[in-house]
Amino acid sequence: LNGATVSVFADGKVQTQKTVVNGSITLDTAASVVHVGLPITADFETLDLNLPGLETIIPKAKIIPAVTVLMEETKSLKIGKDFNSLIDQKSRFIAHYDDPLDMTSGKVTTHIPTSWAAGGQIAIRVTDPVPVSILAVIPDVEVGA
């Protein structure tokens, strides 16, 4: 990996990316548990929205003003109607500046700017080197004519 740029997740906190020199990197701060790897972007996109048991709503216009994500031991999601309009999901509101964000389990609701469209898809992206377990994506949807 000499010369490669790597992502660093140390003691529950994302550090700045590093360049490998002579097989090693220097951390921003000392850490006990360190995960280092090549940076990736993980994308997740739902299928077109439909409701089982009713007439199909696939061709109808839909608006999704909010989405709830059920997750387990996860942090740092970006959520939106597509990959060009993502919003950082906030897993907690009260924290000391230097403390790493805790892993979040449970439901997190994100309000997203949206417009009427036929698809009704939700896009989720992870760019930080953090654990992610998405159990369910529950859109708040209104169906038009």
Side-chain angles (χ1 to χ4, degrees):
L1 291 176
N2 279 330
T5 299
V6 293
S7 293
V8 180
F9 186 62
D11 287 344
K13 192 174 183 182
V14 176
Q15 293 195 7
T16 57
Q17 290 186 337
K18 310 290 179 211
T19 300
V20 179
V21 178
N22 295 325
S24 65
I25 60 170
T26 302
L27 299 177
D28 297 337
T29 58
S32 299
V33 179
V34 180
H35 300 274
V36 177
L38 295 173
I40 66 162
T41 296
D43 287 342
F44 172 99
E45 186 174 31
T46 62
L47 298 173
D48 286 345
L49 184 63
N50 199 14
L51 300 175
L54 302 173
E55 70 176 76
T56 185
I57 64 167
I58 289 177
K60 295 184 179 183
K62 294 169 265 316
I63 192 166
I64 302 173
V67 62
T68 299
V69 177
L70 179 59
M71 55 192 176
E72 181 177 352
E73 295 296 308
T74 297
K75 58 168 88 178
S76 189
L77 298 177
K78 296 176 183 176
I79 304 170
K81 67 177 182 168
D82 56 42
F83 292 111
N84 296 320
S85 58
L86 297 171
I87 296 174
D88 285 330
Q89 161 270 324
K90 305 297 184 203
S91 61
R92 68 176 184 182
F93 297 103
I94 300 172
H96 187 273
Y97 179 76
D98 289 331
D99 289 344
L101 290 174
D102 293 330
M103 302 292 244
T104 300
S105 291
K107 296 181 213 173
V108 174
T109 300
T110 303
H111 295 277
I112 55 177
T114 190
S115 57
W116 289 95
Q121 296 170 315
I122 300 296
I124 300 175
R125 175 171 284 162
V126 179
T127 54
D128 286 335
V130 296
V132 176
S133 293
I134 297 172
L135 306 177
V137 177
I138 308 159
D140 178 10
V141 63
E142 295 176 32
V143 180

